[in-house]
C-alpha cells in the first residue's frame, strides 16, 4: 500500500514537472533589422499611357491592419482617385465608385508640397476623404489668383465618407465657395490635412486647408462632431495671434522691414493637423511677410485648442530666419501623461547652400510649450557632396514606433533621380535607426510631373502598424519621354514577424485539448481492457 | 488596317505630348521652391579628349556656372554664363586621360569666396573606348533584389506545442488518478462495514 502511495506520489510529481515544463514560455521580442519588400505597382489597373499619378496619401484601419486606403491623384484627368488594399499593402485595387462629389469632380491643384487630397480612418472602418473640389465653371472667375488647374477662382472644401471601404460614398460640402462673386470670392486650396478623433461617442473630424481671399489668406479648419455629416463654420487657426502689433513688429524685424505690416499683408501656408488623446487639436503652419519661392522667409507656428477650435494659443516654433520647410506634425501616446508631439521638417544642412536640405526631427512632451533640440535624420554623411533631402512624412505605429520617410537624392548619378529613405525610432524619437532605402530603384525625375517645371511633388505617403510601415510614392519607371507616365508604387518595411495565421493562443488550446483527449482515449482503453479481463461472476 | 495602325503610332505619342504640354501649362503657376538646377549632356556617350554639349535651366540669372568633372570639386571643364532666362549652354572637353566608364558633370554655382552656395545641376555621361562599344556600366536605375513577401511568425514551435500537449496529458492523468482514488476510497468506505 505504501509502495502504491509512493508510486502515485511519483506520478503526481512527474505530472506536475511535465506540466511546468510544458507551460508556454513567453518569447521575448527580438529587435529585427528593417526589411523592405519589393515594390508593387498600385495603379497597375490603369493602362492608359498618359496616366500621371501623383501625391499618394495612405491610411490604415486601426481595427484591421490589413485594410489600407490611398489617395491617388491623376494629374491629367484632374481627379483625385482612390485605391484600397485588403492585404496590408501587398496588392491594391480601385473601386468603381469615385469618392468625388458629383458637382465637384476635380481636385487637382498645382501647389508644391501639400497633398492633392487627404484620407483618414475613423471608427468601424469608416473612411474619410477630403479634397479641394471644383468644376470647370468655378475657374471662370475674373479673380486672377493664378492661372489654370483650379488655381483661379472659387474652390470649395469637400468631405466624402465611406463605411464599405470605398464601394459607396456620402459627400458633404464643408465650405462652399461656388457662386461667390467680387470681394466675397474665396479659393480654398490646398485641402492639406484631415485628423479624426475617435475617443468620444462619435468620430470628431477636423479638416484643414488654406483659404485665400482677395485681400488676405489664412490657414483654416472646420470641425464635425457627427462623423463628417455636418461641419462648423471655418475656423481661423491663427487665433488672432497677429492682431497683436508687437508680434507683427517681431515678424517685420526678422524680415528686415521698416514698417509694421497689417495682418492682411501676412502670407500664410496651409496647415497640418493632429489631435491628442484628450481631443486637443494642434495645427502647424507658416507665416511670412516677404513673398518669394514657397515658404521661404517663413516662421513656423503651432496652434493648440482645447475647446474644439473655439480658441487657440499660438507659439512660434522657428523664429526667422530659421525656416522649417514642409513641417509634418503627429501626436503619440508615448512619453508621459501628455504624450508626445513629433515634428519633422526639411531645412538647410550644415553646408548652408540653397536647397541642400536635411531632414530634422523635434519633439515636445508638454503639448508644444517646449521642444527638444533638432536632430538630423538623414545619415548620408557627406555634406560636401551637396545632396538634398526633401519632403518628409511621418507615421506613428500603435506601439509608439515613430517612422519618418522622405525624398533623397543621395544615389543620384546625374540622372536627376531620387529615392525614398526611411528611418525609425523605437524609443519615442530619442534614437533613430540607420537610414533604409525603400524604393527598389531610383526614380528618374527628368520625366513625369515631380519636376520639369510642373513641380507636382509631395512627401511619400506612409502609415505604420505594429510590425510594418507601408510607404507609397509616385514613380516614373514605366514612363518615357513620350508618355511621361507616372504610377503609384508601394513597399512594406517590416520591423518584426507578423502574427501567425492561427493565433498562438488557439495553437496552445489545440495542443492542450489533444493532450487531454489522448489521456481520455488511453483511459477508456484501459477501462475497456480491464472489463474484458475481469472474471465473470458465476451464475 | 496597316494605315490605321500607323496613324495610331503617330497620333498616340503626339496626343501624349500635347496633353503633357497642356498639363505643364496648368502646372506652370506652381510656386516651386526647389528650383533645381538641371544639366543635360549631349551626346550622353563621349570619348576621352572629345567634346560634348552641356545645357541646363533654373540657374540664377547672369551668374557664373562652373562645369566640373565627376565631383562637386572636380576639375573645371568650362565656366559658363547663365542667361537672363536662367539657362546655360556650352561645350566641354572630356579630360584626355579619362578611362571608359560612367561619369557625372556638375554645374556648380559658388559665392564670391568660391564656396558652393546652391545645389548643383548634375548630368550623367558615359566615356567609351574609341574602338569598341561603350562598356556596360551602371546607369543608376538598377533594380534592387527584394523579398516579395513578409515574414510571418509560425507561432508556437512544435516542441513547445508537444510539451503543452504532454503537460495537458499529465494533468489529465493526475486528475484522473485523483478521481479514481476518491471513488475507490468512497467505495471502500461504503462497502467496508457491510462486508464485515
Amino acid at each position: 500500500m505504501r509502495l502504491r502511495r509512493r508510486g502515485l506520489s511519483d506520478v503526481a510529481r512527474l505530472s506536475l514537472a511535465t506540466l511546468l515544463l510544458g507551460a508556454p514560455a513567453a518569447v521575448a521580442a527580438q529587435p529585427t533589422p528593417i526589411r523592405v519588400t519589393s515594390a508593387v505597382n498600385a495603379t497597375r489597373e490603369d493602362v492608359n499611357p498618359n496616366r500621371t499619378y501623383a501625391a499618394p496619401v495612405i491610411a490604415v484601419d486601426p481595427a484591421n491592419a490589413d485594410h489600407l486606403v490611398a489617395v491617388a491623384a491623376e494629374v491629367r484627368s484632374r481627379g483625385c482617385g482612390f485605391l484600397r488594399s485588403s492585404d496590408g499593402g501587398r496588392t491594391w485595387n480601385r473601386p468603381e465608385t469615385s469618392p468625388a462629389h458629383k458637382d465637384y469632380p476635380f481636385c487637382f491643384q498645382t501647389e508644391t508640397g501639400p497633398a492633392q487630397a487627404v484620407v483618414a480612418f475613423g471608427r468601424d472602418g469608416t473612411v474619410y476623404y477630403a479634397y479641394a473640389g471644383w468644376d470647370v465653371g468655378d475657374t471662370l472667375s475674373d479673380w486672377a489668383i493664378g492661372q489654370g488647374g483650379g488655381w483661379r477662382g472659387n474652390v470649395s472644401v469637400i468631405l466624402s465618407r465611406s463605411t464599405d471601404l470605398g464601394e459607396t460614398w456620402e459627400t458633404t460640402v464643408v465650405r462652399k465657395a461656388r457662386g461667390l462673386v467680387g470681394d466675397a470670392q474665396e479659393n480654398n486650396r490646398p485641402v492639406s490635412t484631415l485628423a479624426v478623433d475617435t475617443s468620444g461617442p462619435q468620430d470628431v473630424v477636423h479638416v484643414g486647408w488654406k483659404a485665400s481671399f482677395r485681400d488676405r489668406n489664412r490657414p483654416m479648419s472646420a470641425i464635425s462632431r457627427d462623423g463628417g455629416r455636418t461641419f462648423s463654420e471655418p475656423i481661423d487657426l491663427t487665433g488672432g495671434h497677429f492682431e497683436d502689433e508687437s508680434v507683427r513688429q517681431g515678424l517685420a524685424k526678422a524680415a528686415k522691414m521698416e514698417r509694421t505690416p497689417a495682418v492682411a499683408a501676412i502670407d500664410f501656408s496651409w496647415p497640418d493637423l493632429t489631435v491628442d488623446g484628450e481631443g486637443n487639436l494642434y495645427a502647424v503652419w507658416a507665416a511670412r511677410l516677404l513673398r518669394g519661392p514657397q515658404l521661404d522667409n517663413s516662421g513656423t507656428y503651432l496652434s493648440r485648442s482645447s475647446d474644439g477650435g473655439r480658441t487657440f494659443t499660438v507659439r512660434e516654433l522657428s523664429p526667422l530666419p530659421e525656416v522649417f520647410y514642409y513641417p509634418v506634425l503627429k501626436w503619440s501616446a508615448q512619453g508621459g501623461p501628455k504624450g508626445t508631439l513629433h515634428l519633422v521638417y526639411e531645412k538647410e544642412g550644415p553646408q548652408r547652400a540653397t536647397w541642400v536640405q536635411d531632414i530634422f526631427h523635434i519633439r515636445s512632451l508638454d503639448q508644444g510649450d517646449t521642444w527638444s533640440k533638432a536632430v538630423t535624420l538623414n545619415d548620408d554623411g557627406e555634406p560636401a557632396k551637396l545632396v538634398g533631402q526633401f519632403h518628409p512624412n511621418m507615421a506613428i505605429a500603435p506601439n509608439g514606433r515613430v517612422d519618418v520617410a522622405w525624398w533623397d537624392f543621395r544615389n543620384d548619378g546625374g540622372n536627376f533621380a531620387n529615392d525614398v529613405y526611411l528611418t525609425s525610432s523605437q524609443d519615442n524619437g530619442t534614437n533613430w535607426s540607420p537610414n533604409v532605402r525603400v524604393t527598389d530603384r531610383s526614380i528618374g525625375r527628368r520625366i513625369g510631373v515631380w519636376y520639369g517645371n510642373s513641380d507636382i511633388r509631395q512627401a511619400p505617403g506612409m502609415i505604420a502598424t505594429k510590425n510594418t510601415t507601408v510607404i507609397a510614392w509616385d514613380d516614373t519607371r514605366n514612363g518615357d519621354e513620350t508618355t511621361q507616365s507616372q504610377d503609384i508604387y508601394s513597399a512594406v518595411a517590416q520591423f518584426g514577424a507578423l502574427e501567425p495565421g492561427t493565433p498562438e493562443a488557439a495553437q496552445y488550446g489545440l495542443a492542450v485539448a489533444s493532450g487531454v483527449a489522448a489521456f481520455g482515449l488511453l483511459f477508456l482503453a484501459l477501462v475497456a481492457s480491464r472489463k474484458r479481463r475481469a472474471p465473470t461472476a458465476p451464475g | 488596317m496597316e494605315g490605321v495602325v500607323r496613324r495610331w503610332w503617330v497620333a498616340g505619342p503626339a496626343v501624349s505630348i500635347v496633353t503633357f504640354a497642356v498639363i505643364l501649362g496648368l502646372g506652370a503657376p506652381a510656386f516651386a521652391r526647389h528650383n533645381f538646377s538641371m544639366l543635360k549632356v549631349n551626346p550622353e556617350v563621349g570619348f576621352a579628349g572629345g567634346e560634348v554639349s552641356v545645357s541646363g535651366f533654373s540657374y540664377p540669372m547672369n551668374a557664373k556656372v562652373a562645369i566640373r568633372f565627376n565631383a562637386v570639386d572636380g576639375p573645371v571643364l568650362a565656366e559658363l554664363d547663365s542667361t537672363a532666362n536662367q539657362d546655360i549652354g556650352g561645350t566641354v572637353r572630356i579630360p584626355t586621360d579619362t578611362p571608359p566608364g560612367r561619369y557625372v558633370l556638375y554645374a556648380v554655382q559658388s559665392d564670391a569666396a568660391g564656396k558652393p552656395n546652391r545645389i548643383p545641376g548634375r548630368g550623367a555621361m558615359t566615356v567609351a573606348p574609341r574602338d569598341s562599344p561603350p562598356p556596360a556600366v551602371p546607369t543608376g536605375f538598377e533594380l534592387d533584389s527584394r523579398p516579395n513577401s513578409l515574414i510571418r511568425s509560425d507561432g508556437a514551435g512544435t516542441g513547445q506545442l508537444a510539451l503543452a500537449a504532454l503537460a495537458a496529458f499529465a494533468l489529465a492523468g493526475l486528475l484522473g488518478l485523483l478521481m479514481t482514488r476518491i471513488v475507490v476510497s468512497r467505495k471502500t468506505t461504503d462497502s467496508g462495514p457491510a462486508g464485515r
Side-chain angles (χ1 to χ4, degrees):
Chain A
M1 189 68 188
R2 248 184 211 174
L3 271 174
R4 200 180 162 204
R5 275 194 180 163
R6 187 176 288 173
L8 264 181
S9 173
D10 286 346
V11 169
R13 265 192 236 120
L14 182 67
S15 299
L16 274 173
T18 313
L19 192 67
L20 288 172
L21 278 172
V27 180
Q30 297 297 317
T32 316
I34 302 172
R35 177 179 178 271
V36 183
T37 63
S38 56
V40 296
N41 183 354
T43 47
R44 71 188 190 292
E45 290 177 4
D46 189 344
V47 293
N48 184 342
N50 285 334
R51 67 191 182 278
T52 313
Y53 288 95
V57 173
I58 48 181
V60 60
D61 184 348
N64 185 343
D66 280 339
H67 283 177
L68 309 184
V69 294
V71 171
E74 205 287 303
V75 171
R76 280 166 162 137
S77 62
R78 301 172 290 185
C80 283
F82 178 79
L83 298 168
R84 66 184 174 192
S85 170
S86 299
D87 56 7
R90 298 307 298 144
T91 59
W92 296 85
N93 63 74
R94 189 172 50 174
E96 291 291 320
T97 317
S98 163
H101 189 296
K102 66 180 174 49
D103 296 329
Y104 299 86
F106 303 132
C107 79
F108 171 63
Q109 49 90 15
T110 55
E111 195 84 56
T112 299
Q116 299 286 337
V118 283
V119 67
F121 268 96
R123 75 193 64 204
D124 302 328
T126 303
V127 179
Y128 298 98
Y129 183 107
Y131 68 102
W134 56 279
D135 202 348
V136 175
D138 295 316
T139 68
L140 301 179
S141 142
D142 65 340
W143 181 23
I145 299 175
Q147 296 168 12
W151 185 247
R152 177 192 288 260
N154 294 324
V155 177
S156 302
V157 180
I158 311 296
L159 181 109
S160 304
R161 186 179 61 255
S162 174
T163 53
D164 51 15
L165 220 57
E167 286 296 318
T168 57
W169 294 90
E170 292 173 50
T171 53
T172 304
V173 179
V174 177
R175 177 63 175 174
K176 184 178 178 181
R178 178 163 293 167
L180 299 175
V181 294
D183 290 343
Q185 288 182 78
E186 58 185 63
N187 183 277
N188 296 297
R189 56 176 291 181
V191 173
S192 54
T193 179
L194 186 56
V196 182
D197 175 9
T198 57
S199 62
Q202 285 206 74
D203 286 351
V204 177
V205 183
H206 301 269
V207 181
W209 69 93
K210 176 179 174 178
S212 294
F213 307 92
R214 285 212 179 223
D215 60 348
R216 67 195 189 286
N217 58 58
R218 289 283 188 282
M220 308 292 271
S221 74
I223 181 171
S224 167
R225 298 186 184 282
D226 56 6
R229 288 167 185 84
T230 59
F231 277 85
S232 69
E233 283 294 303
I235 301 159
D236 180 349
L237 292 167
T238 67
H241 182 64
F242 295 95
E243 298 297 332
D244 182 343
E245 192 175 351
S246 67
V247 173
R248 296 203 306 282
Q249 278 170 351
L251 207 57
K253 190 178 170 190
K256 296 177 181 161
M257 295 174 77
E258 287 180 5
R259 293 178 60 186
T260 304
V263 179
I266 301 172
D267 184 32
F268 294 96
S269 76
W270 58 90
D272 189 34
L273 301 176
T274 192
V275 288
D276 68 15
E278 296 170 355
N280 298 312
L281 175 67
Y282 303 86
V284 63
W285 41 272
R288 65 179 181 177
L289 293 171
L290 294 172
R291 304 289 173 104
Q294 199 176 61
L295 294 177
D296 277 2
N297 308 307
S298 294
T300 309
Y301 296 82
L302 178 82
S303 302
R304 182 178 74 212
S305 176
S306 303
D307 55 10
R310 276 184 282 278
T311 58
F312 285 95
T313 55
V314 176
R315 290 186 185 279
E316 189 179 58
L317 297 181
S318 69
L320 286 169
E322 292 295 316
V323 181
F324 291 1
Y325 292 101
Y326 307 113
V328 175
L329 183 69
K330 299 280 183 212
W331 181 81
S332 162
Q334 308 290 315
K338 300 291 182 190
T340 306
L341 282 173
H342 294 274
L343 186 77
V344 291
Y345 54 92
E346 58 165 80
K347 192 169 81 74
E348 272 180 11
Q351 290 299 107
R352 291 284 171 190
T354 304
W355 305 326
V356 181
Q357 307 284 90
D358 282 339
I359 306 299
F360 294 89
H361 168 264
I362 56 175
R363 68 178 181 186
S364 170
L365 302 176
D366 55 10
Q367 299 182 308
D369 289 341
T370 58
W371 291 82
S372 64
K373 199 176 164 211
V375 174
T376 308
L377 298 186
N378 51 291
D379 63 4
D380 50 316
E382 291 183 86
K385 284 191 172 177
L386 302 180
V387 167
Q389 282 81 25
F390 307 97
H391 298 292
N393 200 354
M394 176 168 44
I396 310 282
N399 56 1
R401 193 185 69 247
V402 186
D403 301 326
V404 180
W406 61 87
W407 285 113
D408 197 314
F409 279 87
R410 74 178 68 179
N411 302 321
D412 178 29
N415 298 311
F416 196 58
N418 56 15
D419 285 281
V420 175
Y421 271 77
L422 170 77
T423 186
S424 181
S425 173
Q426 304 275 0
D427 55 9
N428 199 37
T430 304
N431 295 288
W432 295 87
S433 74
N435 294 178
V436 174
R437 186 187 187 197
V438 173
T439 37
D440 56 357
R441 54 160 274 170
S442 296
I443 312 303
R445 297 306 187 184
R446 290 191 196 271
I447 60 173
V449 295
W450 199 90
Y451 189 55
N453 272 349
S454 296
D455 309 315
I456 313 301
R457 57 178 182 269
Q458 291 79 17
M462 65 188 301
I463 57 93
T465 71
K466 183 183 164 197
N467 286 316
T468 63
T469 288
V470 181
I471 302 115
W473 63 88
D474 39 34
D475 194 310
T476 60
R477 73 181 69 187
N478 302 314
D480 55 39
E481 288 189 5
T482 303
T483 64
Q484 307 274 342
S485 310
Q486 258 187 207
D487 287 299
I488 302 295
Y489 272 71
S490 72
V492 183
Q494 187 169 16
F495 297 84
L498 303 183
E499 305 294 333
T502 309
E504 212 162 307
Q507 289 185 6
Y508 277 112
L510 278 171
V512 168
S514 306
V516 172
F519 174 78
L521 283 173
L522 188 67
F523 186 78
L524 283 174
L526 279 171
V527 169
S529 85
R530 274 196 151 199
K531 273 194 175 174
R532 215 176 292 138
R533 272 190 288 163
T536 319
Chain B
M1 183 66 187
E2 196 178 298
V4 172
V5 171
R6 190 171 295 148
R7 275 199 297 277
W8 271 108
W9 271 105
V10 175
V15 167
S16 299
I17 290 166
V18 168
T19 312
F20 190 66
V22 169
I23 294 301
L24 289 184
L26 292 177
F31 289 103
R33 191 183 61 78
H34 305 306
N35 290 316
F36 295 106
S37 301
M38 303 295 286
L39 186 68
K40 188 97 176 131
V41 185
N42 187 32
E44 288 184 11
V45 178
F47 304 101
E51 286 190 340
V52 290
S53 295
V54 291
S55 58
F57 60 89
S58 284
Y59 292 83
M61 275 185 273
N62 307 317
K64 291 278 183 207
V65 179
I67 306 298
R68 290 180 176 270
F69 189 67
N70 214 35
V72 173
D73 56 356
V76 176
L77 304 185
E79 200 164 64
L80 307 176
D81 293 314
S82 62
T83 67
N85 287 332
Q86 301 182 282
D87 298 329
I88 58 167
T91 303
V92 298
R93 186 174 295 280
I94 307 303
T96 50
D97 55 350
T98 307
R102 187 83 169 169
Y103 295 90
V104 180
L105 302 188
Y106 291 81
V108 181
Q109 304 129 90
S110 303
D111 60 19
K115 177 181 171 291
N117 61 359
R118 186 182 155 105
I119 199 161
R122 292 169 164 88
M125 68 167 296
T126 298
V127 173
R130 285 202 176 268
D131 303 323
S132 54
V137 287
T139 62
F141 292 117
E142 291 74 23
L143 196 64
D144 266 6
S145 175
R146 298 276 174 82
N148 286 321
S149 57
L150 298 172
I151 297 172
R152 194 173 280 280
S153 160
D154 295 333
T158 313
Q160 280 177 309
L161 290 175
L163 280 174
L166 199 61
F169 183 90
L171 189 64
L174 274 174
L175 285 171
L177 285 170
L178 201 64
M179 294 292 287
T180 310
R181 282 200 63 197
I182 292 168
V183 170
V184 167
S185 71
R186 272 194 187 162
K187 272 190 177 172
T188 312
T189 314
D190 291 347
S191 61
R196 247 175 233 169

